[in-house]
């Protein structure tokens, strides 16, 4: 299919995995430093991808300690060795701090142990300390080998044969404290643990009108504290990179009491364990509690989350991230030459990139240096655009200026939810309302979609009306699939009656179609000549103009969790295959990415047509699999992937063809994919993207207001989306060409490039385009990209 083959840089030929061979190569994989959820997914991807390309892959148990000790700590891995580890937290190959590796003698021993097995490629999953150690080892490699030969431990032939060591790093750290990468493996899962605790605490705090001080991990990095504060709407947050200004004690107490006066029954204060003041003195959670009790007399409790944050099953995001990075790491090792510097595979936007390890480590250390020297603005800037953006948005949403300090714009901005509900919509509405009020607008809420718009279900919505909305699923404003076409006259009248100057639409494909209808009707109704922007929110992730939409991450986690449970239910039964139907309309995003995250054997999607021969080959593949020690199969099917090959048909076919080898069960996940509390990613994404939409509206209103002109050009009606690494506004008129209206999907979809990944990890032969990777990118450029998600 054309759309699944990505475009390649002009003037170059597509490079496919088939052109790379791992034959004769040996790869060692180790996890080092603190553990993080998702490390197992990375180990699995390295092992399977390595074996797929013909290399030998070795587990190095207990990190660098196992490398130094050798013996049974370095063992060849088989395909089945990494079965059923995708959903397991921590690391199955163990991790340990190793003092011996800090010494040259230790590294000499380690080099000897690797050469014995012919390992000259290392894949290190750990933090900046582990990666720095690997780079020192790489630089010393040839000297170490010469010394081993001199001592008679290895032959001169071995020195020549194994003359250089290639190192590729993946960052596994829940703190997200590594510069150059948007997200490190484990960060999203740690946020899941934190949000689960905060959601539970909020209910008890409301019952008793309590203040809770929550301490989260992050000795040198405030990412977890900042994002969880953003995702739950905390009253105050303490970070190592951005200490509170002098006199914070007074300011915080004023803020807490103001919130109580606004009828808020609880206060949440989030503290990073490494929080400091401007003099670099620690601010402890106990100190904050004592202050609140003494100054305000509020009933206050401290909760220290500790190692809970490291535990539990990895989130869907972390599994996909780690799988992608593991595959990319093997490709990087296959392409490496003696001159290739050590690199880190990382994520920028939704693209896997390779960055020079030394520069990333240097930049990470520069942040710490800036904090030690009290250059806190530099520390925030060095953390990258994403961190800085989070901090600025948090400040805007958490602290309301007094009304007399807000310059009024005399503009009314309306917010509407359209289409099916998606988790994270409420976070987006809250963010839009608060940013709008901070910009001086009067914010109006439209209830029950375009239907409610036509009937005049429009009310002003204030700052405190949206308090506590971030963690709530569904749509509080109410949402319908009704399109505006039938009610254009009534909608125009309501816009006039309420003097609406701009419109923010939060929704899925119906919102996109509605925006097109409103755009087309501007000639007839001049009231519609106002700035309008749509923020994509749908579990299906099928809105043209954006790689992601609010709600799809929550749905993906629901699918992954359910698949984990279903697989577990078969642990006592031998040889069983599950067929699971997912939502998504004609868009295969949930089935494909759910398959990648849950370790499925196949995922049937509309975008990649299949026939009876494909089904037959899948059955044969599963029959072969059942002969090994892995006696479970998982098949995902998108609800509209085929008119005739229905879930029932596939279930019956598999049952008949698998008779005597395996039995089958089927499961239709249905609307549970739309429900539930939003994931941390969706809360954060909804909050940030909606704040950007309001900034755009404010800019457009200033443009048109000042000149008194009507907003008739196409760039006044836009879809806001994430494309590769950037947040972009695209006129809805320009997106028409990119849309398959019959099947309600974009014509080009980025995630189809990841399809071969799922097949390779399930032991199918697949053609995988590696053209996008290969160039080392300078780290500085990472932080000057368009604003990341």
């Amino acid at each position: 299919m054309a759309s699944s083959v990505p475009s390649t840089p002009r003037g170059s030929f597509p490079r496919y995995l088939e052109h790379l061979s791992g034959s004769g190569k040996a790869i060692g994989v180790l996890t080092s430093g603190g553990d993080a959820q998702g490390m197992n997914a990375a180990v699995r991807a390295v092992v399977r991808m390595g074996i797929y390309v013909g290399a030998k892959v070795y587990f190095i148990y207990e990190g660098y300690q196992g490398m130094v000790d050798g013996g049974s700590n370095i063992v060849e891995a088989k395909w089945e060795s990494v079965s059923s580890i995708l959903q397991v937290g921590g690391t199955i190959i163990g991790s340990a701090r190793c003092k011996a590796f800090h010494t040259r003698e230790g590294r000499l021993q380690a080099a000897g142990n690797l050469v014995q097995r012919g390992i000259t490629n290392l894949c290190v999953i750990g933090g900046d300390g582990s990666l720095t150690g690997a780079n020192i080892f790489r630089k010393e490699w040839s000297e170490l080998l010469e010394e081993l030969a001199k001592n008679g431990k290895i032959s001169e032939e071995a020195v020549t044969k194994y003359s250089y060591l290639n190192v590729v790093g993946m960052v596994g750290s829940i703190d997200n404290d590594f510069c150059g990468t948007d997200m490190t493996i484990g960060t999203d899962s740690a946020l899941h643990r934190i949000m689960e605790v905060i959601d539970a605490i909020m209910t008890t705090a409301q019952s008793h009108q309590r203040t809770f001080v929550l301490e989260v991990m992050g000795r040198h990095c405030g990412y977890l504290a900042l994002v969880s504060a953003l995702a739950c709407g905390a009253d105050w947050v303490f970070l190592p990179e951005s200490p509170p200004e002098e006199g914070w004690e007074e300011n915080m107490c004023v803020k807490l009491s103001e919130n109580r006066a606004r009828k808020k029954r609880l206060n949440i204060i989030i503290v990073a364990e490494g929080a400091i003041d401007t003099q670099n003195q620690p601010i402890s959670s106990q100190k904050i509690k004592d202050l609140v009790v003494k100054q305000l007399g509020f009933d206050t409790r401290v909760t220290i989350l500790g190692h809970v944050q490291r535990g539990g099953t990895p989130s869907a995001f972390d599994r996909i991230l780690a799988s992608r990075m593991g595959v990319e790491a093997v490709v990087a090792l296959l392409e490496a030459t003696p001159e290739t510097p050590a690199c880190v595979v990382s994520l920028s936007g939704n693209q896997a990139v390779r960055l020079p390890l030394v520069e990333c480590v240097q930049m990470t250390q520069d942040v710490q240096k800036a904090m030690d020297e009290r250059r806190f603005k530099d520390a925030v800037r060095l953390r990258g655009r994403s961190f800085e953006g989070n901090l600025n948005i948090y400040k805007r949403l958490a602290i309301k200026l007094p009304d007399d300090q807000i310059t009024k714009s005399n503009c009314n901005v309306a917010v509407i939810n359209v289409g099916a509900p998606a988790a994270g919509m409420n976070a987006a509405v809250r963010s839009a309302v608060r940013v709008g009020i901070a910009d001086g607008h009067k914010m109006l809420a439209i209830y029950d979609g375009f239907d409610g718009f036509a009937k005049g279900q429009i009310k002003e919505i204030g700052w405190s009306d949206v308090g506590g909305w971030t963690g709530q699923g569904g749509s509080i404003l109410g949402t319908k699939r009704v399109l505006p076409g039938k009610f254009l006259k009534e909608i125009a009248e309501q816009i006039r009656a309420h003097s609406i100057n701009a419109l923010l639409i939060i929704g899925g494909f119906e919102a996109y179609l509605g925006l097109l209808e409103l755009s087309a009707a501007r000639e007839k109704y001049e009231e519609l000549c106002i700035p309008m922007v749509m923020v994509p929110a749908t579990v299906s992730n099928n809105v043209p103009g954006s790689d992601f939409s609010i709600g799809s991450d929550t749905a993906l986690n629901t699918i992954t969790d359910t698949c984990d449970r279903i697989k577990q239910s078969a642990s006592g039964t031998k040889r069983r295959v599950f067929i699971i139907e997912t939502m998504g309309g004609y868009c295969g995003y949930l089935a494909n990415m759910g398959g990648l995250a849950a370790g499925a054997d196949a995922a049937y999607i509309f975008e990649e047509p299949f026939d009876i021969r494909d089904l037959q080959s899948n059955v044969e593949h599963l029959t072969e699999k059942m002969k090994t020690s892995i006696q479970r199969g998982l098949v995902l099917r998108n609800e509209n992937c085929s008119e005739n090959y229905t879930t029932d048909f596939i279930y019956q076919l598999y049952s008949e063809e698998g008779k005597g080898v395996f039995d089958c069960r089927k499961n239709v996940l249905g609307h549970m994919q739309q429900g539930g509390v939003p994931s941390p990613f969706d809360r954060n994404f909804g909050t940030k993207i909606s704040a950007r939409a309001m900034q755009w509206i404010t800019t457009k209103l200033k443009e048109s207001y000042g000149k008194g002109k009507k907003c008739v050009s196409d760039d006044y009606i836009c879809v806001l989306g994430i494309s590769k690494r950037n947040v972009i506004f695209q006129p809805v008129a320009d997106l028409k060409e990119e849309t398959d209206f019959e099947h309600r999907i974009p014509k080009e979809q980025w995630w189809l490039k990841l399809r071969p990944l799922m097949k390779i990890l399930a032991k199918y032969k697949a053609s995988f385009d590696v053209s996008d990777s290969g160039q080392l990118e300078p780290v500085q450029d990472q932080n000057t990209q368009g604003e990341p998600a």
Side-chain angles (χ1 to χ4, degrees):
M1 236 182 81
S3 60
S4 63
V5 178
S7 57
T8 52
R10 213 173 289 147
S12 66
F13 293 101
R15 284 188 359 271
Y16 289 99
L17 192 62
E18 300 89 292
H19 305 156
L20 301 170
S21 167
S23 167
K25 293 197 175 184
I27 300 169
V29 58
L30 70 145
T31 50
S32 173
D35 70 320
Q37 309 95 319
M39 278 183 166
N40 285 329
V43 169
R44 171 181 178 267
V46 170
V47 168
R48 293 197 165 172
M49 190 66 170
I51 293 171
Y52 179 84
V53 295
K56 281 188 169 186
V57 185
Y58 289 86
F59 286 146
I60 300 173
Y61 287 100
E62 312 307 336
Y64 287 117
Q65 191 63 54
M67 202 191 285
V68 172
D69 295 344
S72 61
N73 288 303
I74 306 176
V75 177
E76 190 177 345
K78 298 277 180 282
W79 190 274
E80 286 83 32
S81 313
V82 288
S83 173
S84 302
I85 67 167
L86 202 51
Q87 66 271 27
V88 180
T91 162
I92 59 153
I93 53 177
S95 179
R97 313 270 178 197
C98 175
K99 284 187 180 154
F101 199 75
H102 287 279
T103 66
R104 190 177 164 89
E105 292 72 50
R107 293 195 289 275
L108 190 68
Q109 233 174 308
N113 290 327
L114 294 186
V115 169
Q116 261 179 18
R117 294 162 180 83
I119 298 170
T120 55
N121 296 280
L122 270 191
C123 186
V124 182
I125 308 162
D128 60 338
S130 311
L131 301 183
T132 308
N135 195 43
I136 292 167
F137 191 42
R138 186 187 74 87
K139 282 181 177 165
E140 289 180 352
W141 181 259
S142 53
E143 290 168 30
L144 293 171
L145 259 55
E146 277 162 23
E147 196 174 322
L148 286 166
K150 207 165 91 184
N151 299 344
K153 296 273 170 65
I154 62 170
S155 65
E156 286 295 340
E157 191 191 331
V159 176
T160 317
K161 191 176 175 187
Y162 306 121
S163 59
Y164 66 95
L165 178 74
N166 288 319
V167 171
V168 173
M170 283 185 264
V171 191
S173 157
I174 65 163
D175 295 341
N176 202 24
D177 56 357
F178 195 79
C179 290
T181 172
D182 281 359
M183 284 288 259
T184 56
I185 296 168
T187 306
D188 188 65
S189 302
L191 285 169
H192 271 261
R193 298 298 92 80
I194 294 168
M195 293 319 299
E196 282 159 15
V197 170
I198 292 176
D199 287 347
I201 276 174
M202 276 180 150
T203 52
T204 174
Q206 271 180 324
S207 308
H208 297 277
Q209 295 200 38
R210 280 191 176 136
T211 296
F212 267 88
V213 181
L214 260 101
E215 185 180 299
V216 300
M217 279 186 170
R219 210 169 311 136
H220 306 296
C221 179
Y223 184 88
L224 289 178
L226 176 56
V227 174
S228 46
L230 197 57
C232 76
D235 297 79
W236 204 270
V237 65
F238 291 91
L239 315 168
E241 295 90 342
S242 180
E245 291 161 9
E246 295 295 329
W248 62 267
E249 296 90 344
E250 180 67 25
N251 294 341
M252 183 182 79
C253 291
V254 167
K255 167 92 196 305
L256 295 178
S257 50
E258 274 177 6
N259 281 351
R260 281 292 168 96
R262 287 196 196 110
K263 305 280 190 292
K264 190 174 178 185
R265 292 180 60 87
L266 78 158
N267 301 109
I268 300 270
I269 299 164
I270 294 180
V271 193
E273 61 178 322
I276 47 174
D277 62 18
T278 48
Q279 302 309 306
N280 281 17
Q281 294 307 303
I283 299 176
S284 69
S285 35
Q286 191 58 43
K287 178 182 175 179
I288 296 163
K289 176 194 167 174
D290 295 344
L291 178 76
V292 174
V293 171
K294 188 178 165 198
Q295 300 272 18
L296 301 171
F298 287 174
D299 184 0
T300 307
R301 298 284 190 274
V302 172
T303 300
I304 296 173
L305 265 67
H307 280 72
V308 162
Q309 295 158 87
R310 280 197 193 281
T313 182
S315 65
F317 182 94
D318 270 333
R319 297 182 198 194
I320 293 165
L321 170 69
S323 299
R324 288 180 69 184
M325 282 158 82
V327 166
E328 181 68 23
V330 173
V331 175
L333 286 170
L334 293 182
E335 292 181 334
T337 64
E339 290 72 47
T340 309
C343 75
V344 177
V345 293
S346 155
L347 191 73
S348 178
N350 66 10
Q351 284 199 300
V353 291
R354 295 181 203 171
L355 304 168
L357 188 149
V358 182
E359 285 179 40
C360 290
V361 170
Q362 184 56 54
M363 207 159 153
T364 305
Q365 288 166 354
D366 287 348
V367 180
Q368 190 55 49
K369 192 168 174 240
M371 290 186 329
D372 293 342
E373 292 170 5
R374 309 219 295 257
R375 292 183 288 111
F376 296 109
K377 279 195 172 131
D378 287 347
V380 169
R381 185 180 52 76
L382 285 164
R383 277 270 178 248
R385 293 280 297 266
S386 183
F387 189 91
E388 210 172 351
N390 282 333
L391 186 57
N392 292 336
I393 289 173
Y394 172 75
K395 285 175 180 169
R396 291 201 77 183
L397 297 179
I399 298 159
K400 182 181 187 292
L401 286 170
D403 286 340
D404 56 3
Q405 285 180 34
I406 298 173
T407 314
K408 294 283 177 280
S409 69
N410 298 320
C411 290
N412 297 343
V413 179
V415 184
I416 184 172
N417 287 351
V418 177
M425 273 183 164
N426 299 321
V429 172
R430 167 187 176 267
S431 172
V433 167
R434 291 198 169 177
V435 170
I437 290 169
D439 283 346
H441 310 313
K442 179 177 169 185
M443 296 303 294
L444 302 173
I446 300 169
Y447 294 85
D448 294 334
F450 287 121
D451 193 18
F453 201 166
K455 290 174 182 162
Q457 293 172 311
I458 303 167
K459 275 193 211 146
E460 185 177 354
I461 187 163
W463 185 278
S464 43
D465 295 334
V466 290
W469 278 30
T470 49
Q472 299 199 39
S475 162
I476 296 171
L477 295 184
T479 179
K480 286 187 177 176
R481 290 180 181 269
V482 179
L483 293 173
K486 295 182 236 170
F487 314 109
L488 289 168
K489 184 165 171 278
E490 292 87 341
I491 286 172
E493 281 166 9
Q494 294 298 340
I495 290 176
R496 192 169 58 248
H498 291 88
S499 307
I500 294 170
N501 304 97
L503 180 65
L504 171 62
I505 304 174
I506 300 166
F509 206 84
E510 280 84 7
Y512 172 70
L513 294 174
L515 197 59
L516 279 167
E517 289 184 3
L518 293 173
S519 172
R522 285 184 298 173
E523 287 175 15
K524 196 171 174 190
Y525 302 101
E526 65 167 7
E527 293 88 346
L528 299 175
C529 296
I530 56 173
M532 297 184 196
V533 63
M534 173 194 161
V535 167
T538 164
V539 296
S540 306
N541 196 26
N542 62 337
V543 176
S546 186
D547 292 349
F548 293 106
S549 54
I550 299 164
S552 57
D553 183 71
T554 305
L556 211 47
N557 276 293
T558 303
I559 292 166
T560 310
D561 291 349
T562 311
C563 288
D564 287 351
R565 289 182 186 193
I566 285 172
K567 276 162 80 173
Q568 202 175 24
S569 74
S571 55
T573 327
K574 289 290 175 230
R575 302 200 288 267
R576 179 165 284 175
V577 175
F578 292 95
I579 290 143
I580 293 169
E581 183 186 301
T582 67
M583 272 185 164
Y586 285 97
C587 178
Y589 178 81
L590 290 179
N592 189 65
M593 301 307 259
L596 193 53
D601 295 280
Y604 299 118
I605 60 171
F606 168 76
E607 292 88 345
E608 191 177 281
F610 57 97
D611 59 23
I612 197 73
R613 286 181 294 276
D614 298 308
L615 292 171
Q616 183 61 37
S617 94
N618 291 147
V619 172
E620 285 163 11
H621 190 269
L622 280 165
T623 307
E624 282 306 303
K625 181 181 174 181
M626 296 297 169
K627 291 175 185 167
T628 69
S629 56
I630 316 168
Q631 303 195 330
R632 272 192 316 245
L634 184 67
V635 175
L636 268 65
R637 179 190 175 275
N638 159 263
E639 58 184 352
N640 288 350
C641 68
S642 166
E643 201 181 330
N644 296 313
Y645 298 134
T646 60
T647 303
D648 283 336
F649 177 89
I650 292 174
Y651 163 68
Q652 285 162 353
L653 178 81
Y654 271 60
S655 300
E656 183 60 36
E657 295 294 317
K659 252 187 197 158
V661 183
F662 57 80
D663 63 355
C664 268
R665 294 288 183 274
K666 67 172 176 183
N667 206 308
V668 177
L669 298 186
H671 279 76
M672 64 188 286
Q673 294 161 86
Q674 272 182 6
V677 295
S679 67
F681 181 94
D682 278 332
R683 296 182 200 201
N684 192 19
F685 181 49
T687 300
K688 284 161 71 172
I689 201 163
S690 191
R692 287 282 289 127
M694 279 310 300
Q695 287 165 2
W696 178 88
I697 282 176
T698 300
T699 309
K700 289 291 179 193
L701 285 173
K702 279 179 186 162
E703 274 176 25
S704 57
Y705 233 63
K707 298 169 189 159
K709 64 171 184 177
K710 284 267 181 279
C711 309
V712 288
S713 64
D714 284 344
D715 62 348
Y716 278 97
I717 298 199
C718 284
V719 173
L720 170 54
I722 300 287
S723 176
K724 290 187 177 155
R725 306 179 190 183
N726 305 334
V727 171
I728 53 170
F729 291 87
Q730 294 180 76
V732 72
D734 296 357
L735 291 170
K736 270 164 111 169
E737 292 302 307
E738 298 173 23
T739 310
D740 172 353
F741 285 99
E742 186 193 345
H743 300 106
R744 301 159 58 96
I745 51 174
K747 287 178 185 171
E748 295 259 328
Q749 301 187 82
W750 69 274
W751 52 266
L752 282 167
K753 282 197 282 191
L754 301 185
R755 211 160 150 67
L757 222 69
M758 192 200 81
K759 293 180 182 178
I760 288 168
L761 296 176
K763 219 174 184 174
Y764 283 94
K765 283 269 177 278
S767 186
F768 184 41
D769 186 343
V770 291
S771 310
D772 286 354
S773 55
Q775 267 60 52
L776 267 186
E777 302 196 9
V779 186
Q780 283 72 15
D781 285 3
Q782 294 294 309
N783 293 325
T784 52
Q785 295 290 347
E787 184 175 327

